Structure formats: C-alpha cells, structure tokens
Amino acid sequence: MNKPLRYSRIEWRRRAAIIAFAIFAFVSYIVLISLSLYHARERELETVLTQQTSLAKVLVSQADATLKKIDTVLLSVQQKLSETPADLRPAPSVMNQILASHLALIGESQSLRVADAQGRFIYDASGVLHSATISDREYFLHNRDDPNGELVISEPLFARITHNWVVTVSRRINDDRGEFAGLIQAAVRAEFFENFYASLNLGKPYSVTLVDEKLRMLARFPATQEQLGKPIMSPLLRDFIASGASDTQYTTISVVDNVERSYMVRKVGPYPLYLIIGHTKSDQLSAWYQQLGWSIVGIVVLGGVLLGWIVVWLRSYDSALALAGRMTSAYEITLQRMRHLAGHDPLTDLPNRALLEERMAAALAETKGRRADLVLMFIDLDHFKDINDTLGHGVGDKLLVQVAERLRQSLTDQDTISRQGGDEFAVLLRGYASLTRVAEVAQRLIDELDPPFVVNEHELRVTASIGISVYPQDGPDIVTLLKNADTAMYQAKAEGGRGFHFFTEEMNARVLNRVTLDKNLHSALLNQEFILHYQPQVDGASGQITGVEALIRWHHPQQGEISPAQFIPAAEESGIINGIGDWVLNQACLQARRWLDLGMPELTMAVNISAVQLRQPDFVAKVMAALCRHGLPAEYLELEITESALIRDTQRIVRILNELRKQGVRLSVDDFGTGYSSLAYLKNLPFDKIKIDQSFIRGIPEREDDTAITEVIIGIAKSLKMELIAEGVETKEQYDFLLQHHCQQMQGYFFGKPVPAAEIEQRLLQSVEANPGQ
C-alpha cells in the first residue's frame, strides 16, 4: 500500500516562495503592460491633437489669406470710385471691364459688382446688370449705416442671381461729399471652401465646418447642403463665441450628424468667422485598441506559461525551471520571427509589399493636411532572366541578395526599399525636397550596381531600369503609384535600360533639363561665367542718375546667354542661389566702392535678394561682411525683397529686416502689387521704398485697370511716407503720367537698358562734365 507523500517544512517554504515569485512576476508584468498602455494611449491622443492643430493652422491660414486677397481688390475699386465724382466715372462698359480684370485676380469669388445707394447694381464684372436689388440685405444696411467703410462679411446667403450659397464680402463707397453712394461686393461660393477641404483627402475621421459669429454654417466637409445657412445649435460653441476667445477644444456629439468627435475651434484672423475641425473619437484610439488586444493576449499566454511552469515544477523543481526558461524564450523568439516574416521577404530580408504599404500609409498620416513629399521608385534588373536560365536559380537568388544589400546601403534610414518579387524592387522616398534630388537618388542607385558581383566564382554584371511616380499627381495610393511607376520603368527599358524615367513625359524632360542646369550652375560659379550689368535709376524731374540696380547675366560657353528667368528659379530650388547671391552682393559692393573712389556722383546700389537667401541664419552677417570687406557705407546699399519672400517664416524674416535697417542698409519691397500684401501689414515692415511692378506700368495710361492700380500704389506710398520708384518705364507717355502723379524715381528702357559697369561709368562721367558744380 502506497504511503502519502510528505514534504518537510523547508520544502513547503521553498515551493511557496517559488509560487509567490511567479505570482509577483505575473502581477508586475500586468502593471508594466498597464503603464505602457496608458502612455501609448496618451501618445495616440497627443498625435491626433498635433495633426488636428496642424490642420487647423492650414485651414485658418487659407481662409485668412482668401479674405485678405479679396479685400485688397475691394480697396482698389473702393478708392477709385470714392475719389472720382459720379459724373467723371468711366462709362459702364469700361468700368465693367475694370471689374472683370480685378475679378480675374480673385478666383475665389464668383462675382464682383457695384451697387448704388438704393441697392441697385450699376456695374458688374460679367457685363450683365441684373434687376435684383440688395437694399434689404443685412450687409447692405451695415455698409450704409457705417461711415468708416470697414470690410463687411455677410451671413451665409442664397444668392438671388446665381442661386447658390455664398458669403458676400463688401466695402462702402462714398461720394465726393462723404455720403453713402453704394458699395463694392464680391461673393465667395460655399463650394470654394468645401472643395478645398475635400482636396486635402482628410478621410472619414475628420470634419471641417466654417461658421459665422451667429453659428450659421457657411461650408462643411463632409458636405451637408441642407444645413447651409442654418445655425448650429451647440451650447458649447455658442458659449465659446460669446466669451470672445479665439480658440478652444471640447468633445461632444455633433448636432449635424450625431457623431461623437473631439473638436478644435479657431477664429479666422480678425474676421467674424470660425473654423471647427472635428476628429471622431472612435478613430482616435483604433491603433491603441489593437495594442490593447495584443496585450491581453500576451497576458493570457504568459499566465498560461507561468501556470504550466508551476505545475511542472511541482513535479520536478530543477527540470521545471529549465523548461520554463526554454518555453518563454521559444515563445518570444517564435513570436518575433512570425512578426518579422509577416513583413519581410524571406530571401533578401527586405520589407515586402505589405510592409511597404503600411509605411506609406503611416507617411501619409504624418503629413495629413499639408503637402506630402513622397516618391515611389519601381526597380527592375535588366536581362536578369538570362542569368537564371544559364547559371540556375541558385546563382540568381544569391545575386539578388547582393543587389538588395547594395541598394539598401545607398538609401537613408527614412527611406524604405522593398522586394516586390522576382527581380523587382520598390523604393519609397520621403522628404525628397525637389525632383532634382529624386533624379540624383535614382542615378546613384543605378551607379551602385555597376561594379561586378562575384557569385560562386562567377563575375556577373547587372544593370537596372527605374520607373518613378510622384504622390499625389501620379496617384493617391500605393496601388496606383506602383502601377504608374511600373509603366515608367518599361519606358526606361524601352530607351535601352540602365536609366530612369518619370511617369509623365513632361516631368521626365523637365527633371532631366533641371539636372543638367544644376550641374551647369555649379560650373558657372566655379568658372566665373556670371557677370553683372547695371540698369540706371533716374530722377525723372532732373534726369540725373540716382542709383543703379545690379542684374546678373550668365554667358554659357556653349549655349550662350541664358535668361535669369530660366536659371534663377532653378538656383533657388537647388540652394546654389546662396552662393550666387553672395557673389552678386560682393561684386555690387566692390563696384559701388570703385565708383566712389573715382569721384563719381553718389549712387544707391540696388541688389535683388532671394527668399532662400533670407532664410540663411547668417544672412545679416554676410551682408555686413561684404560692406566691410569693400569699405562701402551701408546707406549706399539697397536690398530689394519681393512681397512673396515674406509669406513663409514671416516673423523671422521681419527680424532680419529690422536688423539690416538698424545697420543702415536700405530696404525696398520689389514687384509691389503682385503679392496682395495687407496694407495694415505693410505699414509695420521696415521698408524705405516701394517699387511698382512693371506689369502695371506697361499698361499705363491706356489700360484703365493698370492706371487705377498704379494710382492706388502711389497713394499707398504717400500715405505710408515711403519712397517710390516705377520699373519698366519704356515710353514718353508712361514717363509723363508718372511725373504728373508725383512718382519721380523711374527705371526702364526709356532711360537705358542694363549695361556693363564701363558704360555706366561713361554716363556718369558725362553727367559730371555737364554739371561740374554738382
């Protein structure tokens, strides 16, 4: 008869300690997993908030820029009509043409009309006057009763003429006695905003709504036509607007579609408009819920492993310990291997197509609401089938492994190379900055395969053909991009192989030309192929030269003269503009100092500055170093900066301009009138001079619209107490018009073309001889 097994007190304690340790380990694992899940959830929510904030900035900026652009046009027409007595105004047909030219500048608006004091339309950009009146409209009454003539934005309206939902933007027009004489109005379609929101491909999780201060809906994505013009009955939104704050966040169920979302609300500039960006709660944590599920599975598996370990140990302590360790290790290794195999090619260990799709989806999610710099390359080895047929698939597989390794080493960590199958590979490039950079990467991959491969004592040579597709113009998803890149690859093969080809012929030709141009620009800077010509700037009243503008010219040894309009944009995109700009700045300062040493009349040397140059952290230091190097006083240097250069990174650029102004360098805003600058914004910038763009000067005095815009710019310069110069003056009529309107400084072919420094010196000597006392 078997006796029951008895354990000593020490053995019981040992077993109790082991069981307690296992339970402690299990509980610790659960605690750690819980903490990890908590932090992962916070990260997910923070990521969504960051994306939502970035999207809000983009949308608010777009709405603000649209209204400012339209307001600039309204101001121009308002000033012209307010300053002109009714009996001296142009004929209706002429005025309608002027309105049509202004409407062409603001594609956001579907109409541009002028109404009289009774609310009847008297001018229309379409050339057709409608019988509908606006005397009962709230925005008309507002303009009539407000003598200040401020910008008025209407409530959402169903237009009586065009029969669609619009928002009217208008300004009051006064007669010569200051009394109300009507208004100028533009109508922005609700579809304009809705189409813009839809173009961002935000997907189902997002909603975007534009409302006015009375909660009336102006536009929405996804579109809900039946709600346009109606107030959104949201207490949270009503309380926020009543508080006068400019931004807020909250979570609630939408009164429009009954979906729970996290909302971010932003006020649009100084206007009575608000943007509401929503993100569904169910989608915010979808990835986290998947992680939670896998964590629960892990806890269950680990609990089972520990339970089995304890049971087995109770039978055999020593063997149980070793077995549990092996089980745990085997489980972790197997799980890791399964995950790796699910996303990688077994031969080359490169990511497979599934992992490539996953990484592209992640890249698109990270760039939600802004431009995504994504490119897909499809690589196929030329004549690889011949190697398989002659040497066998074993040699071919080993060759593919070596090819994959070379390609992988030629790319950065943020790029993804994937094997698609056979001898086909795909590369996902992120943040490529320019198509020229893409072409350089493609050529580098091709060049990396040139050295021979050694496989089983065989020396093998292989080349590649690459097709390139660009997101989003060549496709909105990886399936379309792969298909189009594959098409482009066959075109590269048709051209002889060992090359690359973009999906569109136009893009392919443009990129190849740009690559050649970039190489030539580097050579031109090294070989001193650039020269400076100088165009005189003249006091129209006296005829004396008061300054010159330094203009770069490029004489290529084979191609001859290359226009700045062709090579300057390429230099800006490639970054070589910084080197070219440094050369121009130093040459201009050297020449200005030389003229002073020769006793020439004191001149201002105007130098054009690119927006790319302004973004250099040491730009101010470079300017001051050039002045110091050549001994030129700062007041003789004038930097010309275009309006468009101020659009990006505005605050930092304004700080740079203020530093230059403090050092005595003169500043001029170039091409004025083409960038739709806000007048309130312009008056706070440290510019000394406004330069009227030649596109307006070219049409005066014959074209009514160019004449009107030029008069407005002259008035702006006068009111801001800034100097004024007109460029592109070519005829006696233009010269007389500008003098008559008190614009004395001029530049253009009427006074002289850009010429080498020696010819300017000759003109200056003639001026000195003709006026020895000056």
Side-chain angles (χ1 to χ4, degrees), residues 611-628:
V612 179
Q613 291 176 263
L614 279 175
R615 289 195 286 272
Q616 297 177 97
D618 59 344
F619 177 71
V620 176
K622 284 186 175 183
V623 174
M624 301 315 298
L627 291 171
C628 182

Side-chain angles (χ1 to χ4, degrees), residues 441-734:
V441 172
Q443 189 60 52
R444 185 171 71 242
L445 293 175
I446 292 170
D447 294 342
E448 282 293 326
L449 301 182
D450 283 346
F453 297 86
V454 178
V455 181
N456 291 358
E457 300 181 354
H458 297 287
E459 186 176 282
L460 305 176
R461 294 184 181 274
V462 66
T463 60
S465 298
I466 302 178
I468 305 171
S469 58
V470 181
Y471 175 87
Q473 50 263 52
D474 294 337
D477 51 56
I478 192 169
V479 175
T480 309
L481 289 172
L482 274 173
K483 177 176 69 68
N484 291 339
D486 186 43
T487 301
M489 181 272 295
Y490 279 108
Q491 182 62 38
K493 281 188 176 293
E495 294 172 358
R498 199 194 175 279
F500 61 87
H501 201 285
F502 283 82
F503 176 62
T504 63
E505 287 292 343
E506 178 186 357
M507 182 182 294
N508 194 62
R510 186 169 72 249
V511 171
L512 292 179
N513 288 337
R514 278 296 308 279
V515 170
T516 302
L517 183 58
D518 285 353
K519 291 180 180 178
N520 289 341
L521 280 170
H522 283 87
S523 299
L525 194 56
L526 292 174
N527 300 331
Q528 298 183 350
E529 296 172 11
F530 295 117
I531 59 172
L532 288 185
H533 283 189
Y534 302 90
Q535 187 171 33
Q537 296 176 337
V538 176
D539 184 323
S542 66
Q544 296 296 312
I545 298 177
T546 59
V548 294
E549 180 178 2
L551 299 168
I552 192 169
R553 297 292 183 264
W554 179 14
H555 184 79
H556 190 276
Q558 286 79 39
Q559 301 177 29
E561 298 294 333
I562 298 179
S563 167
Q566 180 180 353
F567 71 81
I568 291 296
E572 289 182 327
E573 187 171 326
S574 66
I576 196 177
I577 190 66
N578 291 329
I580 295 174
D582 293 345
W583 179 86
V584 171
L585 186 62
N586 277 279
Q587 287 296 114
C589 290
L590 174 63
Q591 186 61 62
R593 179 70 258 180
R594 184 177 298 163
W595 284 335
L596 286 176
D597 293 341
L598 291 174
M600 301 294 181
E602 296 182 352
L603 299 176
T604 298
M605 175 65 73
V607 177
N608 290 285
I609 299 299
S610 162
V612 179
Q613 291 176 263
L614 279 175
R615 289 195 286 272
Q616 297 177 97
D618 59 344
F619 177 71
V620 176
K622 284 186 175 183
V623 174
M624 301 315 298
L627 291 171
C628 182
R629 184 178 299 116
H630 302 292
L632 182 68
E635 62 267 20
Y636 291 104
L637 178 63
E638 180 175 282
L639 302 182
E640 294 190 357
I641 296 119
T642 61
E643 288 183 89
S644 58
L646 303 171
I647 294 176
R648 291 180 55 190
D649 203 5
T650 305
Q651 292 182 347
R652 192 178 68 83
I653 289 178
V654 169
R655 286 198 301 271
I656 289 174
L657 297 181
N658 281 321
E659 288 181 35
L660 290 168
R661 181 74 177 278
K662 289 178 183 177
Q663 297 294 336
V665 178
R666 293 172 55 80
L667 301 173
S668 169
V669 55
D670 196 11
D671 299 338
F672 186 77
T674 62
Y676 306 107
S677 288
S678 165
L679 303 184
Y681 187 64
L682 180 63
K683 72 179 182 180
N684 295 320
L685 294 173
F687 286 110
D688 301 283
K689 183 185 292 185
I690 290 176
K691 195 170 193 178
I692 308 176
D693 186 66
Q694 60 182 336
S695 61
F696 303 124
I697 302 300
R698 194 178 297 123
I700 61 172
E702 293 85 3
R703 289 178 57 88
E704 288 276 347
D705 51 350
D706 287 338
T707 300
I709 293 173
T710 301
E711 290 175 352
V712 168
I713 296 174
I714 292 173
I716 290 171
K718 182 179 179 181
S719 64
L720 296 178
K721 296 181 175 57
M722 290 186 182
E723 296 179 36
L724 185 68
I725 184 170
E727 65 174 339
V729 180
E730 297 182 354
T731 67
K732 181 69 164 56
E733 290 77 15
Q734 293 167 352

Side-chain angles (χ1 to χ4, degrees), residues 51-52 54-56 58-59 193-209 220-222 275-280 283 364-365 367-370 471:
Q51 293 176 353
Q52 210 169 354
S54 299
L55 179 59
V58 171
L59 298 178
F193 292 107
E194 292 176 343
N195 292 340
F196 176 75
Y197 303 154
S199 71
L200 298 178
N201 298 318
L202 299 175
K204 292 183 179 180
Y206 282 93
S207 71
V208 181
T209 310
R220 188 178 188 275
F221 169 83
L275 266 164
I276 310 166
I277 299 93
H279 193 287
T280 55
D283 285 288
L364 293 177
T367 55
K368 183 74 70 177
R370 56 186 173 88
Y471 175 87

Side-chain angles (χ1 to χ4, degrees), residues 343-344 351 353-364 366 374 413 415-417 428 430:
H344 290 78
R353 180 165 180 163
L355 184 55
L356 180 69
E357 291 181 1
E358 180 182 325
R359 291 186 179 177
M360 182 167 183
L364 293 177
E366 289 174 7
L374 300 178
D413 292 339
D415 302 325
T416 298
I417 178 169
L428 175 64
R430 300 176 61 181

